[in-house]
Every structure is written in C-alpha cells, then in structure tokens.
C-alpha cells in the first residue's frame, strides 16, 4: 500500500515514467480481465489501453480505500462489461432453463473438442462459452487469487451471487470434462 | 459426495482419481492457468503516446477557447464603446522593437517549457 501511495503521488506529480511502471505492474491483471471478457481478439489490446487511459484520468480520485490493483481491476471489469453491453452481448447469467444448461454440457461439438488434445485447452474453450460475469469471477478467483470481498468490490455483485456463479461455473465445466473423459475412455 | 463438497476438497488439494473428483481436478488445474491473451511488448509506449496526444489536444482546445474569448471581448468592447479607431495600432507601430521582443520572449518561453521542463518531467 505504501509503495502504491508513493507511485500514485509520483504519477499525479506528472512523472510519466512512474505511470509506465504502474502500467507494467498491472498490465497482466488488465489483460487477463479483458482477455477473458472479450472474445474478439482484435478489440482486446485497444480496450486494455482504454483502461489505462481511464486509470490515468481518474487516478486523482483514488482514495486508497482499497488496493490499487483492486481499483484498476474494477475499472477493467466495468469497461469490459460496458463494451459488451453496447454490443448487446448478454452478460448477467446463464439462462435458467434446463435445456440451455444441457446445451452447454452436451457434446455437440465433440469433433472440436477431440481435436484439442490437451485438457487445459478444452477447459479454456469451455470457459470462452460462459457468460462474461462467470468468466470474470473465475479469473479473479483462480488466476488473480483475489478474495470474495475483493471480487464483490470489483463486480458490484453480492457475495452470495459471486459464490453461486463460481460454484455453477465449475460445476458446468466439470460436467463437460466428465463427458469428454467418458468419451475418451470409450475410444 | 455433493458437488459442493467435491469442489471444497479439490480446492484443498484432495481429489479423487475417478469420476467427478477427477473431472474437478482437471477443471481446477486449468482454471489456475493464465489466459492466453497478453498485451504487446510496446503496450506501455502506446498508452503513453495516447496520453500525450490527448494532452496536446486538450492544450489546443484551451488555446482555441482563449482566442475565442479574446475575440468576443474585443467585439463587445468595440460594440459598447462604439469607437473603432486605429489608435491602439498606431501605438504598436511606435514601438516595433518592443513588440518583436515580446513575441520572441513568449515563443522562447514556450520552447523552454516544451524542451526542458516537460521533458524533465517525462511529459514529452
């Protein structure tokens, strides 16, 4: 936190090299968040740049109520979600009806999956198909190793919803992997 | 065992080698790994270039606003006083050296600001 304060003070003092350092420290976090939320590869880099432009503009408003990384992740998350909303991409939830869930876990794209031999790649492909909020929560929890209160702050969702999305996303991924493993065993 | 219990066990590093436990183990292992997308090596340079461009545009906008206000003020003064004469300009023609020095001084200040002060702060 002290380092963050010193870095922010330097940036606000007009030191652009300090801002370069801030970018270097947080570009991984922002690229993970935007990379998971946005499926179109050509949009990702520019959106990451937009996030840091916002960080630069709003840094004077940062009050150190949270970690700098949490604040930057919040900006990245909201920027990504707003981008998807403008393109009318459904972001909130998996459809509640059983058929939609069954469609997700059904092996209707077995050839696509069988072509990808590595299990990690299979799971990555499945994550791509999840709604954006699920993807964001999975990334914040598993890749960034953030706590529930931090994820709540970033996403603005209640803690119960965060836990529920995390549970359901893992469960859906597990069902799909189980089907793949079953299929593989019969080959 | 329920899915909730299996997820807790797998997260704690205890997972079965068969059935749902095995599937969860694969899922948790993959979830820990970084997504494939990474920004380019020149990412920070590109962000800083966009900030610089934005600030230049902002400076230019303020300059344009200043000139516009000056022109409006001049028009208002002329309209109120109803006295458009070349008197003020005849004053300028009497001191060409002073006027040239003034303009050169302002330009020099701009140059020093851009080349030395802003560069030192890393703004250019």
């Amino acid at each position: 936190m002290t380092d963050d304060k010193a870095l922010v003070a330097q940036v606000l003092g007009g030191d652009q090299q300090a801002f370069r350092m801030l970018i270097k420290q947080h570009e991984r976090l922002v690229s993970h968040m935007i990379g998971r939320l946005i499926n179109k590869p050509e949009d990702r880099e520019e959106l990451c740049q937009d996030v840091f432009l916002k960080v630069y503009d709003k840094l004077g408003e940062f009050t150190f109520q949270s970690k700098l990384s949490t604040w930057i992740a919040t900006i990245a998350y909201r920027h990504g979600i707003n981008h998807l909303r403008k393109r009318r991409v459904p972001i909130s939830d998996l459809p509640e009806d059983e058929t939609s869930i069954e469609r997700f876990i059904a092996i209707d794209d077995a050839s696509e999956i069988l072509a990808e031999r590595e299990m990690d790649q299979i799971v990555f492909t499945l994550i791509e198909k999840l709604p954006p909020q699920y993807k964001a929560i999975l990334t914040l929890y598993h890749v960034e190793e953030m706590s529930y209160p931090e994820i709540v702050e970033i996403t603005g969702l209640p803690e119960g919803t965060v836990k529920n999305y995390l549970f359901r996303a893992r469960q859906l991924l597990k069902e799909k992997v189980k089907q793949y493993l079953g299929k593989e065993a019969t080959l | 065992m329920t899915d909730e219990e299996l997820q807790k066990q797998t997260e704690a590093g205890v997972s079965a080698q068969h059935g749902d436990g095995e599937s969860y183990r694969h899922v948790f292992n993959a979830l820990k790994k970084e997504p494939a997308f990474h920004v380019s090596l020149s990412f920070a340079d590109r962000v800083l270039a966009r900030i610089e461009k934005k600030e230049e545009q902002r400076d230019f906008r303020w300059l344009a606003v200043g000139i516009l206000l000056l022109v409006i003020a001049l028009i208002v003064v002329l309209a109120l006083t109803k006295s458009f004469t070349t008197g003020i300009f005849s004053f300028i023609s009497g001191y060409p050296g002073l006027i040239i020095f003034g303009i050169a001084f302002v330009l020099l200040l701009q140059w020093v600001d851009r080349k030395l002060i802003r560069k030192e702060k890393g703004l250019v």
Side-chain angles (χ1 to χ4, degrees):
Chain A
M1 189 70 94
T2 315
D3 287 347
D4 282 351
K5 277 191 175 172
L7 189 63
V8 169
Q10 280 178 297
V11 176
L12 293 176
D15 184 348
Q16 212 136 353
Q17 292 314 312
F19 192 61
R20 184 187 293 276
M21 195 184 290
L22 185 147
I23 294 171
K24 289 281 175 201
Q25 283 176 3
H26 297 94
E27 65 183 18
R28 208 183 111 264
L29 167 68
V30 171
S31 68
H32 288 166
M33 179 62 73
I34 295 293
R36 273 276 159 82
L37 283 173
I38 311 296
N39 285 341
K40 283 175 91 178
E42 62 271 24
D43 290 346
R44 289 172 176 164
E45 173 115 2
E46 196 178 339
L47 284 168
C48 288
Q49 289 180 17
D50 293 344
V51 169
F52 281 105
L53 288 182
K54 275 197 175 170
V55 168
Y56 188 80
D57 283 342
K58 295 192 178 292
L59 200 59
E61 297 168 22
F62 178 54
T63 53
F64 293 96
Q65 297 292 311
S66 60
K67 285 196 280 185
L68 182 61
S69 57
T70 309
W71 183 71
I72 292 174
T74 308
I75 293 177
Y77 173 79
R78 288 183 187 164
H79 193 66
I81 291 291
N82 286 339
H83 176 83
L84 295 172
R85 280 201 177 116
K86 279 180 199 160
R87 277 149 190 78
R88 299 179 190 282
V89 175
I91 52 132
S92 57
D93 199 2
L94 282 169
E96 290 296 332
D97 59 299
E98 286 298 315
T99 50
S100 300
I101 296 170
E102 277 170 18
R103 211 181 309 129
F104 178 81
I105 61 173
I107 307 183
D108 53 355
D109 51 356
S111 57
E112 179 195 332
I113 288 177
L114 288 170
E116 295 172 289
R117 303 304 300 176
E118 288 190 29
M119 188 59 73
D120 290 351
Q121 278 308 314
I122 292 166
V123 178
F124 286 162
T125 307
L126 297 172
I127 292 171
E128 289 278 301
K129 294 179 182 177
L130 288 169
Q133 283 185 328
Y134 281 72
K135 292 194 274 191
I137 290 168
L138 284 173
T139 307
L140 291 169
Y141 189 85
H142 286 283
V143 182
E144 305 304 331
E145 297 179 339
M146 286 189 175
S147 63
Y148 286 121
E150 283 175 313
I151 299 173
V152 165
E153 189 181 335
I154 290 165
T155 58
L157 295 168
E159 189 167 321
T161 307
V162 169
K163 285 180 177 172
N164 183 35
Y165 281 11
L166 197 59
F167 173 76
R168 289 180 67 196
R170 289 161 171 171
Q171 194 182 31
L172 286 169
L173 293 171
K174 180 266 298 181
E175 288 300 330
K176 191 90 178 179
V177 166
K178 196 169 124 186
Q179 287 196 12
Y180 170 71
L181 289 174
K183 186 101 181 167
E184 198 181 41
T186 59
L187 289 176
Chain B
M1 201 176 278
T2 64
D3 275 286
E4 203 170 345
E5 288 166 339
L6 278 170
Q7 287 192 13
K8 277 184 184 162
Q9 275 199 359
T10 312
E11 199 170 2
V14 186
S15 57
Q17 297 301 311
H18 307 285
D20 284 359
E22 185 191 9
S23 302
Y24 269 127
R25 183 168 53 80
H26 287 299
V27 169
F28 275 73
N29 282 343
L31 285 174
K32 272 188 239 163
K33 295 185 177 148
E34 290 191 10
F37 169 68
H38 294 287
V39 292
S40 61
L41 287 173
S42 58
F43 178 75
D45 291 332
R46 289 180 187 188
V47 174
L48 293 175
R50 280 182 67 182
I51 288 171
E52 188 190 326
K53 198 176 168 190
K54 214 174 154 187
E55 289 191 341
E56 275 175 9
Q57 284 171 345
R58 190 164 46 203
D59 287 350
F60 183 75
R61 269 198 295 272
W62 279 115
L63 182 69
V65 168
I67 290 170
L68 184 71
L69 287 175
L70 204 66
V71 170
I72 290 170
L74 186 68
I75 292 168
V76 169
V77 167
L78 289 176
L80 289 176
T81 58
K82 295 175 185 169
S83 58
F84 181 72
T85 66
T86 55
I88 188 168
F89 299 108
S90 61
F91 161 78
I92 290 170
S93 66
Y95 300 92
L98 186 66
I99 299 303
I100 290 167
F101 173 76
I103 293 169
F105 186 70
V106 169
L107 290 174
L108 182 71
L109 274 182
Q110 287 294 321
W111 184 83
V112 169
D113 177 52
R114 192 162 185 81
K115 288 288 171 190
L116 302 177
I117 299 171
R118 287 188 180 210
K119 201 167 192 174
E120 200 170 285
K121 283 189 169 184
L123 289 168
V124 176

